């Protein structure tokens, strides 16, 4: 059974109301499936890198298997898709699995590969899982077991 958590890095004590919907729907879906309810972790700090490091440390203390990081302004209210994403990451023994997120102030999504981190065209990743060199961390699940086996000490971000 996967011990799953959702980490929400808050900034100036604010998160999107969509996180309430996401949290409720995730908890309900996990309970209906007979799974252990997800743990919800939050921190309130100015730096996103510091927030992510604190969330990883808390997830490690809670002995979570996977931690989904959902930025304070990024959420997805389809629990089946989130569950599928984490299961896909677990089945592939991935260190990280993430969802493409539309970039602000620039066209495209935060999915890239190659030495110059060129954006991967949407038609290459739409409705499928692909390996990339870099993905933004706005909606990313971290395999805590992999991280603790390969990179035990912070900073992770």
């Amino acid at each position: 059974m996967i011990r799953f958590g959702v980490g929400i890095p808050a900034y100036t004590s604010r998160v999107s109301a969509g996180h309430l919907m996401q949290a409720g729907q995730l908890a309900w879906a996990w309970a209906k499936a007979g799974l252990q309810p997800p743990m919800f972790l939050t921190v309130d700090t100015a730096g996103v890198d510091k927030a992510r490091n604190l969330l990883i440390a808390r997830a490690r203390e809670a002995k979570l298997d996977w931690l989904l990081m959902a930025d304070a302004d990024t959420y997805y209210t389809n629990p089946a898709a989130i569950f599928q994403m984490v299961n896909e990451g677990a089945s592939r023994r991935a260190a990280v699995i993430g969802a493409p997120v539309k970039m602000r102030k620039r066209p495209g999504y935060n999915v890239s590969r190659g030495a110059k981190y060129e954006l991967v065209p949407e038609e290459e990743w739409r409705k499928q899982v692909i390996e990339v060199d870099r993905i933004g961390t706005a909606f990313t699940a971290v395999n805590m077991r992999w991280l603790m086996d390969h990179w035990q000490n912070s900073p992770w971000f």
Side-chain angles (χ1 to χ4, degrees):
M1 183 176 298
I2 293 177
R3 290 185 40 85
F4 177 69
V6 179
I8 305 168
Y11 318 104
T12 63
S13 299
R14 296 183 189 159
V15 296
S16 169
H19 275 286
L20 293 174
M21 180 71 81
Q22 176 179 276
Q25 289 180 337
L26 277 171
W28 176 252
W30 256 248
K32 274 179 47 177
L35 301 172
Q36 182 174 350
M39 178 177 282
F40 294 92
L41 307 168
T42 187
V43 295
D44 189 0
T45 185
V48 71
D49 54 341
K50 182 178 179 181
R52 292 193 197 297
N53 285 319
L54 290 170
L55 290 168
I56 291 284
R58 290 183 182 166
R60 178 175 59 182
E61 290 167 10
K63 296 182 174 33
L64 297 180
D65 298 316
W66 282 86
L67 177 67
L68 172 69
M69 301 253 206
D71 280 4
D73 60 351
T74 306
Y75 58 90
Y76 192 66
T77 57
N78 181 342
I82 295 169
F83 185 67
Q84 182 181 1
M85 182 179 95
V86 173
N87 274 336
E88 185 69 30
S91 72
R92 291 172 181 252
R93 297 182 179 193
V96 172
I97 190 163
V101 174
K102 193 152 181 52
M103 294 187 294
R104 290 188 198 147
K105 301 178 185 175
R106 293 187 301 180
Y109 290 78
N110 61 351
V111 180
S112 59
R113 64 165 73 106
K116 294 183 180 180
Y117 294 114
E118 295 175 13
L119 293 181
V120 178
E122 185 175 346
E123 55 272 5
E124 282 189 43
W125 53 258
R126 176 64 64 191
K127 296 187 180 189
Q128 59 186 326
V129 176
I130 64 167
E131 190 171 319
V132 296
D133 294 313
R134 183 170 75 178
I135 187 165
T137 54
F139 202 85
T140 304
V142 177
N143 180 338
M144 293 298 299
R145 288 182 186 185
W146 184 95
L147 191 66
M148 293 306 106
D149 286 346
H150 296 90
W151 190 358
Q152 294 179 1
N153 299 314
S154 74
W156 299 282
F157 289 89

